[in-house]
mmCIF file of all heavy atoms in Angstrom:
data_model
loop_
_atom_site.group_PDB
_atom_site.id
_atom_site.type_symbol
_atom_site.label_atom_id
_atom_site.label_comp_id
_atom_site.label_asym_id
_atom_site.label_seq_id
_atom_site.Cartn_x
_atom_site.Cartn_y
_atom_site.Cartn_z
ATOM 1 N N LYS Q 36 0.842 -1.182 0.000
ATOM 2 C CA LYS Q 36 0.000 0.000 0.000
ATOM 3 C C LYS Q 36 0.878 1.233 0.000
ATOM 4 O O LYS Q 36 1.906 1.277 0.664
ATOM 5 C CB LYS Q 36 -0.925 0.011 1.224
ATOM 6 C CG LYS Q 36 -2.035 -1.017 1.148
ATOM 7 C CD LYS Q 36 -3.034 -0.830 2.265
ATOM 8 C CE LYS Q 36 -4.174 -1.833 2.143
ATOM 9 N NZ LYS Q 36 -5.175 -1.665 3.206
ATOM 10 N N GLN Q 37 0.434 2.241 -0.731
ATOM 11 C CA GLN Q 37 1.164 3.500 -0.758
ATOM 12 C C GLN Q 37 0.981 4.234 0.564
ATOM 13 O O GLN Q 37 -0.104 4.237 1.144
ATOM 14 C CB GLN Q 37 0.674 4.372 -1.913
ATOM 15 C CG GLN Q 37 1.262 4.008 -3.251
ATOM 16 C CD GLN Q 37 2.743 4.357 -3.345
ATOM 17 O OE1 GLN Q 37 3.265 5.132 -2.562
ATOM 18 N NE2 GLN Q 37 3.413 3.759 -4.307
ATOM 19 N N THR Q 38 2.044 4.852 1.019
ATOM 20 C CA THR Q 38 1.950 5.662 2.234
ATOM 21 C C THR Q 38 1.296 6.996 1.893
ATOM 22 O O THR Q 38 1.348 7.455 0.759
ATOM 23 C CB THR Q 38 3.355 5.907 2.828
ATOM 24 O OG1 THR Q 38 4.200 6.462 1.802
ATOM 25 C CG2 THR Q 38 3.965 4.619 3.329
ATOM 26 N N PHE Q 39 0.677 7.605 2.899
ATOM 27 C CA PHE Q 39 0.063 8.920 2.697
ATOM 28 C C PHE Q 39 1.158 9.981 2.610
ATOM 29 O O PHE Q 39 2.248 9.788 3.129
ATOM 30 C CB PHE Q 39 -0.887 9.220 3.863
ATOM 31 C CG PHE Q 39 -2.109 8.334 3.895
ATOM 32 C CD1 PHE Q 39 -2.373 7.545 5.008
ATOM 33 C CD2 PHE Q 39 -2.984 8.289 2.824
ATOM 34 C CE1 PHE Q 39 -3.502 6.725 5.051
ATOM 35 C CE2 PHE Q 39 -4.110 7.475 2.851
ATOM 36 C CZ PHE Q 39 -4.361 6.693 3.966
ATOM 37 N N PRO Q 40 0.852 11.121 1.960
ATOM 38 C CA PRO Q 40 -0.416 11.542 1.360
ATOM 39 C C PRO Q 40 -0.599 11.006 -0.051
ATOM 40 O O PRO Q 40 0.372 10.703 -0.731
ATOM 41 C CB PRO Q 40 -0.290 13.071 1.360
ATOM 42 C CG PRO Q 40 1.170 13.321 1.198
ATOM 43 C CD PRO Q 40 1.864 12.211 1.949
ATOM 44 N N TRP Q 41 -1.866 10.923 -0.482
ATOM 45 C CA TRP Q 41 -2.193 10.421 -1.809
ATOM 46 C C TRP Q 41 -2.641 11.570 -2.700
ATOM 47 O O TRP Q 41 -3.671 12.205 -2.443
ATOM 48 C CB TRP Q 41 -3.316 9.382 -1.731
ATOM 49 C CG TRP Q 41 -2.922 8.120 -1.026
ATOM 50 C CD1 TRP Q 41 -1.675 7.729 -0.639
ATOM 51 C CD2 TRP Q 41 -3.798 7.058 -0.622
ATOM 52 N NE1 TRP Q 41 -1.715 6.500 -0.022
ATOM 53 C CE2 TRP Q 41 -3.003 6.063 0.009
ATOM 54 C CE3 TRP Q 41 -5.171 6.848 -0.723
ATOM 55 C CZ2 TRP Q 41 -3.547 4.888 0.524
ATOM 56 C CZ3 TRP Q 41 -5.723 5.691 -0.213
ATOM 57 C CH2 TRP Q 41 -4.908 4.708 0.399
ATOM 58 N N PHE Q 42 -1.868 11.820 -3.759
ATOM 59 C CA PHE Q 42 -2.161 12.889 -4.710
ATOM 60 C C PHE Q 42 -2.169 12.352 -6.139
ATOM 61 O O PHE Q 42 -1.494 11.381 -6.453
ATOM 62 C CB PHE Q 42 -1.066 13.973 -4.668
ATOM 63 C CG PHE Q 42 -1.073 14.841 -3.450
ATOM 64 C CD1 PHE Q 42 -0.131 14.659 -2.449
ATOM 65 C CD2 PHE Q 42 -1.994 15.867 -3.312
ATOM 66 C CE1 PHE Q 42 -0.114 15.469 -1.336
ATOM 67 C CE2 PHE Q 42 -1.983 16.685 -2.194
ATOM 68 C CZ PHE Q 42 -1.043 16.487 -1.197
ATOM 69 N N GLY Q 43 -2.883 13.043 -7.001
ATOM 70 C CA GLY Q 43 -2.766 12.868 -8.442
ATOM 71 C C GLY Q 43 -2.805 14.251 -9.064
ATOM 72 O O GLY Q 43 -3.583 15.105 -8.625
ATOM 73 N N MET Q 44 -1.973 14.488 -10.088
ATOM 74 C CA MET Q 44 -1.892 15.812 -10.698
ATOM 75 C C MET Q 44 -2.064 15.751 -12.208
ATOM 76 O O MET Q 44 -1.587 14.820 -12.855
ATOM 77 C CB MET Q 44 -0.531 16.460 -10.409
ATOM 78 C CG MET Q 44 -0.307 16.895 -9.003
ATOM 79 S SD MET Q 44 1.308 17.735 -8.854
ATOM 80 C CE MET Q 44 0.894 19.307 -9.625
ATOM 81 N N ASP Q 45 -2.727 16.756 -12.739
ATOM 82 C CA ASP Q 45 -2.823 16.962 -14.181
ATOM 83 C C ASP Q 45 -2.355 18.389 -14.450
ATOM 84 O O ASP Q 45 -3.045 19.347 -14.101
ATOM 85 C CB ASP Q 45 -4.264 16.755 -14.647
ATOM 86 C CG ASP Q 45 -4.433 16.948 -16.155
ATOM 87 O OD1 ASP Q 45 -3.423 17.219 -16.843
ATOM 88 O OD2 ASP Q 45 -5.573 16.833 -16.643
ATOM 89 N N ILE Q 46 -1.167 18.529 -15.037
ATOM 90 C CA ILE Q 46 -0.567 19.847 -15.232
ATOM 91 C C ILE Q 46 -0.832 20.283 -16.667
ATOM 92 O O ILE Q 46 -0.131 19.887 -17.599
ATOM 93 C CB ILE Q 46 0.947 19.817 -14.937
ATOM 94 C CG1 ILE Q 46 1.210 19.139 -13.583
ATOM 95 C CG2 ILE Q 46 1.515 21.226 -14.941
ATOM 96 C CD1 ILE Q 46 2.687 18.899 -13.293
ATOM 97 N N GLY Q 47 -1.873 21.080 -16.850
ATOM 98 C CA GLY Q 47 -2.263 21.519 -18.180
ATOM 99 C C GLY Q 47 -1.558 22.800 -18.595
ATOM 100 O O GLY Q 47 -0.791 23.395 -17.830
ATOM 101 N N GLY Q 48 -1.858 23.241 -19.807
ATOM 102 C CA GLY Q 48 -1.238 24.456 -20.317
ATOM 103 C C GLY Q 48 -1.736 25.709 -19.627
ATOM 104 O O GLY Q 48 -1.020 26.706 -19.529
ATOM 105 N N THR Q 49 -2.970 25.672 -19.134
ATOM 106 C CA THR Q 49 -3.576 26.835 -18.484
ATOM 107 C C THR Q 49 -3.807 26.601 -17.000
ATOM 108 O O THR Q 49 -3.618 27.503 -16.179
ATOM 109 C CB THR Q 49 -4.935 27.163 -19.153
ATOM 110 O OG1 THR Q 49 -4.743 27.322 -20.547
ATOM 111 C CG2 THR Q 49 -5.532 28.432 -18.576
ATOM 112 N N LEU Q 50 -4.221 25.374 -16.653
ATOM 113 C CA LEU Q 50 -4.652 25.084 -15.291
ATOM 114 C C LEU Q 50 -4.031 23.787 -14.781
ATOM 115 O O LEU Q 50 -3.876 22.830 -15.534
ATOM 116 C CB LEU Q 50 -6.181 24.951 -15.283
ATOM 117 C CG LEU Q 50 -6.968 25.287 -14.018
ATOM 118 C CD1 LEU Q 50 -6.743 26.731 -13.584
ATOM 119 C CD2 LEU Q 50 -8.449 25.046 -14.252
ATOM 120 N N VAL Q 51 -3.671 23.794 -13.503
ATOM 121 C CA VAL Q 51 -3.207 22.579 -12.831
ATOM 122 C C VAL Q 51 -4.364 22.034 -12.005
ATOM 123 O O VAL Q 51 -5.006 22.769 -11.249
ATOM 124 C CB VAL Q 51 -2.005 22.867 -11.907
ATOM 125 C CG1 VAL Q 51 -1.574 21.590 -11.173
ATOM 126 C CG2 VAL Q 51 -0.844 23.437 -12.700
ATOM 127 N N LYS Q 52 -4.640 20.744 -12.179
ATOM 128 C CA LYS Q 52 -5.695 20.096 -11.411
ATOM 129 C C LYS Q 52 -5.058 19.084 -10.460
ATOM 130 O O LYS Q 52 -4.226 18.287 -10.895
ATOM 131 C CB LYS Q 52 -6.685 19.381 -12.330
ATOM 132 C CG LYS Q 52 -7.624 20.303 -13.101
ATOM 133 C CD LYS Q 52 -6.982 21.011 -14.260
ATOM 134 C CE LYS Q 52 -6.589 20.062 -15.371
ATOM 135 N NZ LYS Q 52 -5.941 20.795 -16.509
ATOM 136 N N LEU Q 53 -5.453 19.148 -9.205
ATOM 137 C CA LEU Q 53 -4.872 18.301 -8.170
ATOM 138 C C LEU Q 53 -5.992 17.603 -7.416
ATOM 139 O O LEU Q 53 -6.973 18.243 -7.019
ATOM 140 C CB LEU Q 53 -4.054 19.177 -7.205
ATOM 141 C CG LEU Q 53 -3.370 18.513 -6.019
ATOM 142 C CD1 LEU Q 53 -2.132 17.758 -6.469
ATOM 143 C CD2 LEU Q 53 -2.974 19.564 -4.990
ATOM 144 N N VAL Q 54 -5.893 16.280 -7.249
ATOM 145 C CA VAL Q 54 -6.844 15.583 -6.388
ATOM 146 C C VAL Q 54 -6.087 15.034 -5.182
ATOM 147 O O VAL Q 54 -4.958 14.565 -5.298
ATOM 148 C CB VAL Q 54 -7.611 14.458 -7.118
ATOM 149 C CG1 VAL Q 54 -8.491 15.021 -8.218
ATOM 150 C CG2 VAL Q 54 -6.681 13.408 -7.681
ATOM 151 N N TYR Q 55 -6.725 15.137 -4.024
ATOM 152 C CA TYR Q 55 -6.106 14.711 -2.765
ATOM 153 C C TYR Q 55 -7.085 13.844 -2.000
ATOM 154 O O TYR Q 55 -8.236 14.236 -1.773
ATOM 155 C CB TYR Q 55 -5.714 15.933 -1.935
ATOM 156 C CG TYR Q 55 -5.382 15.610 -0.496
ATOM 157 C CD1 TYR Q 55 -4.255 14.852 -0.180
ATOM 158 C CD2 TYR Q 55 -6.196 16.044 0.548
ATOM 159 C CE1 TYR Q 55 -3.956 14.545 1.135
ATOM 160 C CE2 TYR Q 55 -5.903 15.739 1.867
ATOM 161 C CZ TYR Q 55 -4.785 14.990 2.154
ATOM 162 O OH TYR Q 55 -4.497 14.673 3.467
ATOM 163 N N PHE Q 56 -6.630 12.650 -1.606
ATOM 164 C CA PHE Q 56 -7.458 11.746 -0.809
ATOM 165 C C PHE Q 56 -7.190 11.996 0.667
ATOM 166 O O PHE Q 56 -6.066 11.843 1.142
ATOM 167 C CB PHE Q 56 -7.160 10.289 -1.153
ATOM 168 C CG PHE Q 56 -7.999 9.299 -0.381
ATOM 169 C CD1 PHE Q 56 -9.293 8.995 -0.796
ATOM 170 C CD2 PHE Q 56 -7.513 8.691 0.766
ATOM 171 C CE1 PHE Q 56 -10.070 8.086 -0.085
ATOM 172 C CE2 PHE Q 56 -8.278 7.790 1.480
ATOM 173 C CZ PHE Q 56 -9.570 7.481 1.059
ATOM 174 N N GLU Q 57 -8.248 12.380 1.395
ATOM 175 C CA GLU Q 57 -8.149 12.628 2.834
ATOM 176 C C GLU Q 57 -8.677 11.402 3.587
ATOM 177 O O GLU Q 57 -9.878 11.134 3.569
ATOM 178 C CB GLU Q 57 -8.982 13.856 3.210
ATOM 179 C CG GLU Q 57 -9.045 14.111 4.706
ATOM 180 C CD GLU Q 57 -10.213 14.995 5.110
ATOM 181 O OE1 GLU Q 57 -11.072 15.292 4.245
ATOM 182 O OE2 GLU Q 57 -10.277 15.373 6.296
ATOM 183 N N PRO Q 58 -7.815 10.638 4.245
ATOM 184 C CA PRO Q 58 -8.299 9.460 4.984
ATOM 185 C C PRO Q 58 -9.138 9.886 6.184
ATOM 186 O O PRO Q 58 -8.779 10.806 6.910
ATOM 187 C CB PRO Q 58 -7.010 8.770 5.428
ATOM 188 C CG PRO Q 58 -5.993 9.860 5.470
ATOM 189 C CD PRO Q 58 -6.360 10.838 4.400
ATOM 190 N N LYS Q 59 -10.273 9.201 6.374
ATOM 191 C CA LYS Q 59 -11.149 9.508 7.510
ATOM 192 C C LYS Q 59 -11.213 8.341 8.496
ATOM 193 O O LYS Q 59 -11.987 8.376 9.448
ATOM 194 C CB LYS Q 59 -12.563 9.819 7.012
ATOM 195 C CG LYS Q 59 -12.644 10.986 6.036
ATOM 196 C CD LYS Q 59 -12.254 12.307 6.653
ATOM 197 C CE LYS Q 59 -13.352 12.867 7.520
ATOM 198 N NZ LYS Q 59 -13.026 14.216 8.015
ATOM 199 N N ASP Q 60 -10.410 7.300 8.244
ATOM 200 C CA ASP Q 60 -10.444 6.113 9.114
ATOM 201 C C ASP Q 60 -9.103 5.902 9.826
ATOM 202 O O ASP Q 60 -8.709 4.773 10.103
ATOM 203 C CB ASP Q 60 -10.806 4.871 8.289
ATOM 204 C CG ASP Q 60 -9.808 4.612 7.152
ATOM 205 O OD1 ASP Q 60 -8.921 5.460 6.926
ATOM 206 O OD2 ASP Q 60 -9.921 3.558 6.493
ATOM 207 N N ILE Q 61 -8.405 6.997 10.119
ATOM 208 C CA ILE Q 61 -7.099 6.902 10.774
ATOM 209 C C ILE Q 61 -7.270 6.401 12.205
ATOM 210 O O ILE Q 61 -8.070 6.945 12.978
ATOM 211 C CB ILE Q 61 -6.386 8.271 10.779
ATOM 212 C CG1 ILE Q 61 -6.110 8.715 9.338
ATOM 213 C CG2 ILE Q 61 -5.087 8.222 11.559
ATOM 214 C CD1 ILE Q 61 -5.524 10.100 9.218
#
């Protein structure tokens, strides 16, 4: 399993989009 934090990024020509998974079962 990947350690936290969990991110994914899409770096576009105009805009950067970032998704972040926030664990709620710590």
Side-chain angles (χ1 to χ4, degrees):
K36 288 189 178 181
Q37 279 290 343
T38 54
F39 292 121
W41 293 350
F42 288 104
M44 289 184 75
D45 180 1
I46 311 172
T49 306
L50 208 59
V51 178
K52 286 76 67 180
L53 179 76
V54 295
Y55 166 67
F56 181 82
E57 175 200 8
K59 301 295 283 186
D60 59 353
I61 297 175

